[in-house]
Amino acid sequence: MQNIRNIAIIAHVDHGKTTLVDKIIHASKIFGEHQQFDDLILDNNDLERERGITIVSKNVSVRYKDVKINIIDTPGHADFGGEVERVLKMADGVLLLVDAFEGAMPQTRFVLSKAIDLGLKPIVVVNKVDKENCRPDEVHEQVFDLMFNLGATEDQLDFVTLYGSSKQGWMSRDWKQKTEDITPLLDAIIEVIPPAPFIEGTPQMQVTSLDYSAFVGRIAIGRVHRGTLKEGANMSLMKADGSVKKVKIKELQVFEGLGKAKVAEVQAGEICAVTGIEGFDIGDTIADAENPEALSRISIDEPTMNMLFTINNSPFFGKEGKFVTSRHLRDRLYKETEKNLALRVQETDREDTFLVYGRGILHLSVLIETMRREGYELQVGQPQVLYKEDDNGNRLEPIEHLVVDVPEETAGKVIELVTMRKGELTIMEPKGDLQHLEFNIPSRGLIGLRNNVLTATAGEAIMNHRFQSYEPYKGGIPGRISGSLISMEAGAATAYTLDKMQDRGEFFIDPGEEVYGGQVIGEHTRPNDLTINLQKGKKLTNMRASGSDENVKIQPKRQFSLEDAMEYIQKDEYLEVTPKSIRMRKILLDENERLRYAKKAD
């Protein structure tokens, strides 16, 4: 047996996973006294820091009492479930982190079910016991019930529970007794999580993650399942289609602290990075050169949503981005599928248009946001959910489990909004000073729902959802009830016209902002679309009369985040995304063309 523990940290979004990993890193004295680090060492890309969520799983290791602990920090959001499913294969146990007030949330259930299916040993950490209204004992019971319902074994149900605050940096077996540091957690990991076993035989390693270096190219990361990998050894790469390719290991590295250390060989049970292997994909097996044996491939849940991605062909094309052609777009999307397992790209009958399949709005929006930061210009269509058919030819649609925590006085409005979109209320109970609501709702009913709920509750609702199952089609759902205000011509919008048009709706642009014909510039107060001219200025004469020049008072424009805009657009609209701007536009920019198309459709 080796002195290695492989552990994955799983939790719902914002329950404190990455903060806890930070504290473990500090406790193990990886850094010298002189080194200074910001909070959230592992959330190292800009998007993760801005949104406060983990998007890509990370590997680090710490040493404690002569034991090496490999820690895998996983995303908490169900949209990034593809990441979680594959990295759990590298672990022997999981650290389940639960908020002492919120308890087990939808995504907790999602990632925990994957860990229990793989037979991993859990340690439960009830975090944030320093919060007001926290209820650690109730939450402990809730986690036990959840594990039981998910079919956990007796060994898994006999879990160790620790209480504490990862922000304050302490953990204890009793939440009423505050300790000095988080060493009780590290002791529990060594005591409870089984050591990584050494399995003898011919070498086998499954690629579960990948890294990239400008010097050595793509790097395969995974856990050695059997035998010993050696530097310079000839191996076989076993692909998804059954083909076997001869490869050679150039270099082997293991995770030490926040970095990697070069080694001559890696034994079974250790997580390592392999360089020098070309043409591999996630799920491939690196096996013996003479007697190659493949490990079973990683299965990933199906996507539930797709979006049309196309090149930017608006009048402002090429003004703000570096990568604007269909070749750029194609290469970037296919490059993403290499490491983003839950994402799929399908070509259409047009060279410059692709259908991209993902787990949800957040999953797709992170890809779009990453691309725009890299300098890409593109347009995307309205998100569409994916339907299936059962054996009798009936249409099935994805249903999500939606959880909303909301102040009691606005619970009625939320229930009304969700049931209008074919949601069914399953649970309603008090939770502290909030009302806890649970619904089953079609995935398409969620598109645009968050905005409406936040507006109705003055921003106080906490919403979470996860995919549940495919069920029979629930019928039509009312979409956005208001039409769009559309610009008639290109040019800068004048304050004079914006002021005069304020009774027609709410605007998405400021005075002086450049717009083009066919751009969606606001929301109409009525259900139909309205094309307006914003470039008209005030007629100037020599005559001046006191009182005729009233002050222009214009409401501030409505700001959209990328996800808000993706949920807002209609079927006949595109979202134009560039490194500096997010604009909405009609697919057909010319008003006469739109009218002709509408007549044909009727």
Side-chain angles (χ1 to χ4, degrees), residues 333-533:
L333 289 175
Y334 279 110
K335 187 180 163 199
E336 185 68 23
T337 57
E338 289 180 359
K339 62 176 189 289
N340 195 334
L341 280 198
L343 195 84
R344 304 213 181 132
V345 177
Q346 183 184 322
E347 304 209 6
T348 63
D349 49 4
R350 283 173 48 198
E351 283 289 305
D352 59 1
T353 305
F354 305 88
L355 269 179
V356 179
Y357 295 79
R359 277 280 181 85
I361 296 267
L362 185 65
H363 186 206
L364 292 165
S365 77
V366 165
L367 168 64
I368 297 166
E369 183 65 44
T370 308
M371 286 173 70
R372 72 184 280 229
R373 288 179 185 215
E374 290 168 3
Y376 285 83
E377 276 193 20
L378 66 150
Q379 293 183 144
V380 293
Q382 187 188 41
Q384 304 290 331
V385 301
L386 303 178
Y387 298 105
K388 287 184 177 179
E389 281 194 357
D390 63 10
D391 301 338
N392 304 324
N394 298 321
R395 194 185 195 186
L396 303 176
E397 66 171 334
I399 302 292
E400 306 247 351
H401 182 66
L402 170 69
V403 176
V404 188
D405 290 332
V406 67
E408 201 170 329
E409 60 274 14
T410 51
K413 290 181 189 169
V414 174
I415 294 169
E416 187 184 345
L417 284 167
V418 178
T419 48
M420 269 170 61
R421 291 163 173 258
K422 299 285 188 276
E424 294 170 14
L425 181 65
T426 55
I427 292 175
M428 180 176 181
E429 59 191 20
K431 177 177 175 183
D433 52 356
L434 297 175
Q435 199 72 22
H436 177 78
L437 310 171
E438 293 190 21
F439 304 88
N440 291 333
I441 181 172
S443 293
R444 60 202 165 98
L446 287 169
I447 297 173
L449 177 67
R450 182 178 296 273
N451 266 347
N452 294 353
V453 167
L454 289 176
T455 306
T457 61
E460 291 198 46
I462 302 164
M463 281 177 69
N464 292 287
H465 57 86
R466 66 175 174 86
F467 171 71
Q468 187 161 301
S469 60
Y470 272 87
E471 291 179 21
Y473 182 70
K474 299 276 191 268
I477 289 177
R480 197 176 89 205
I481 47 175
S482 44
S484 300
L485 294 174
I486 306 159
S487 175
M488 189 184 286
E489 292 175 18
T494 63
Y496 171 77
T497 327
L498 277 174
D499 181 43
K500 293 281 179 248
M501 291 284 182
Q502 284 190 108
D503 58 338
R504 295 305 177 93
E506 188 179 9
F507 285 98
F508 309 156
I509 58 165
D510 281 327
E513 205 170 307
E514 290 286 334
V515 296
Y516 53 80
Q519 183 178 333
V520 175
I521 50 171
E523 183 179 290
H524 194 194
T525 48
R526 298 188 176 175
N528 60 312
D529 290 347
L530 181 68
T531 307
I532 55 176
N533 183 347

